[in-house]
Every structure is written in C-alpha cells, then in structure tokens.
Amino acid sequence: MKKLFIAPMIASLLLLGTSCANRKVQRIDPNQQTDISGRWNDTDSKLVANEMTTDVLQRPWRSNFEQKYGRKPVVIVGSVKNKSSEQIDPITFIKNLERSFVNSGVVGVVQSGDERNQVRDERNDQQTFASEESKKKWGKEKGADFMLNGVISSIVDQYKNQKTVSYQVNLELTDLETNEKVWIGEKDIKKYIKN
C-alpha cells in the first residue's frame, strides 16, 4: 500500500522540479511596453494617466480658476473604482495620475486617504518630540479646490480562441466648493487576443 502512494508522489515531485528548471527570468527596461496576457497592465496605466492628465490640464477650468483666484488650483485624486472583469488594483493608476499632475507644475496636489492620515500622525508626533523651531504647525494644510474621481470598466467579447477586451476609463473633475463637474474625460483601449 505504501509503495502505491509513494510512487505517484515521487513522479509528481520530479515533474514539478523539471517544470521549474525551464523557467527563465530576465530584467527588462521598466518603460518597455509589454503585453503578455492581454489584460490591463502597467503600460495601459501609464499611457491612460498621461493622456488624461494632459487633456484635463488643457481645458478651460484651470485658466478660469487662475483668472478668478490668481493662483494655481489644488487637486486631490479621490477614488478610481475597478468595475472591469479583471482584478485591477487602482492604486497604481492613481499614483500615475498624481505623478502626472505634480510633474506638470500647473496644479498643486494634496494627499488623500490613508496617506493624509500618516502625515497628520507625523505632525502630531512632532508636537511632542520635535524641536520648537522644526515642528510643523496644525491648521496649515492646503485644502483641495478640485477632486478627481473615476471608474475603470471593461467589456469582453469572446468566441472560440479569439477575444477582444475593451477598457473604458472615465474620470470626472469636480469643483469641491460648488459640486460642479468641470471636466469629464474618457479613454478607451481595445485589445485583440488570439490563443
């Protein structure tokens, strides 16, 4: 009985060992566009974030704000919900949006969510542990003028060994004082996959 159990176990281990031996890992340029699975990936995230921030920053809401208040607007990136058929972590996309905004130099960007709470915790610790001249004061945070929120959705069309995946990213910029939507953007990506 023991021999019948041990033989398949040894065969499984040998098969597992040979399949791992064929694996090859190679470092590539992080900016190189790759699309192995056909699913949403880092390239899609970067391209969509860059295109959408370029579009939003060229629209009239920004110059209207600057003319009215004499300063650049401050933006907070809120939630981007994943309503697609895939497991997409929206944090990478949110960080790409924030990076594009900050690097543009034409809008200010403030922390949101947990990151803001970490900053506040640090400021609170400074009240006790930092020197008088280096501790940061309460009540000096910049308030956001606008909030960016959005959703990533997808439609899959499949027949036999062929499929298309259409991703649609919708973002909306809202004036936090008036609740007015000042910009709505949409970006589509369509992928054809054949197995």
Side-chain angles (χ1 to χ4, degrees):
M1 181 75 169
K2 284 185 178 180
K3 288 181 182 178
L4 290 175
F5 178 71
I6 293 175
M9 186 183 216
I10 291 173
S12 297
L13 288 174
L14 286 173
L15 214 92
L16 182 64
T18 57
S19 68
C20 291
N22 293 331
R23 174 176 264 178
K24 181 181 175 186
V25 176
Q26 175 183 342
R27 297 202 186 279
I28 60 174
D29 179 355
N31 295 318
Q32 179 179 334
Q33 291 186 20
T34 56
D35 207 337
I36 297 169
S37 66
R39 293 190 294 265
W40 178 270
N41 61 34
D42 64 319
T43 300
D44 300 323
S45 180
K46 289 174 190 173
L47 290 173
V48 171
N50 289 339
E51 283 186 37
M52 293 190 89
T53 50
T54 297
D55 182 54
V56 69
L57 293 174
Q58 293 174 353
R59 299 300 177 169
W61 70 271
R62 188 173 61 87
S63 58
N64 292 344
F65 182 89
E66 289 170 349
Q67 287 173 0
K68 184 174 182 179
Y69 296 102
R71 64 175 175 84
K72 67 182 181 182
V74 177
V75 174
I76 187 168
V77 179
S79 68
V80 176
K81 295 179 181 168
N82 174 25
K83 299 287 186 177
S84 75
S85 58
E86 299 172 17
Q87 278 194 311
I88 297 173
D89 183 358
I91 297 298
T92 303
F93 182 60
I94 288 170
K95 291 300 174 190
N96 287 331
L97 289 167
E98 288 179 335
R99 178 184 40 77
S100 293
F101 275 136
V102 169
N103 292 344
S104 75
V106 296
V107 295
V109 178
V110 293
Q111 293 282 14
S112 63
D114 291 337
E115 292 152 343
R116 180 175 49 224
N117 290 332
Q118 288 176 3
V119 170
R120 288 176 179 163
D121 288 345
E122 171 59 25
R123 191 178 309 119
N124 189 44
D125 285 351
Q126 286 184 9
Q127 303 311 306
T128 304
F129 301 110
S131 65
E132 201 58 42
E133 59 275 358
S134 67
K135 70 180 178 183
K136 304 304 173 248
K137 297 177 184 170
W138 288 103
K140 299 289 185 178
E141 292 181 21
K142 280 191 175 181
D145 302 300
F146 299 91
M147 178 178 267
L148 186 73
N149 289 305
V151 64
I152 302 171
S153 55
S154 67
I155 298 172
V156 177
D157 185 19
Q158 186 169 2
Y159 182 72
K160 294 186 179 180
N161 66 341
Q162 299 178 76
K163 110 172 148 176
T164 59
V165 183
S166 300
Y167 298 96
Q168 183 172 317
V169 180
N170 293 92
L171 297 177
E172 297 178 348
L173 189 69
T174 304
D175 183 316
L176 286 173
E177 190 166 67
T178 65
N179 205 30
E180 176 186 8
K181 293 180 184 182
V182 295
W183 174 81
I184 297 176
E186 177 180 302
K187 173 67 180 161
D188 297 306
I189 295 176
K190 191 169 191 173
K191 298 183 179 188
Y192 171 74
I193 304 148
K194 185 174 181 180
N195 293 323

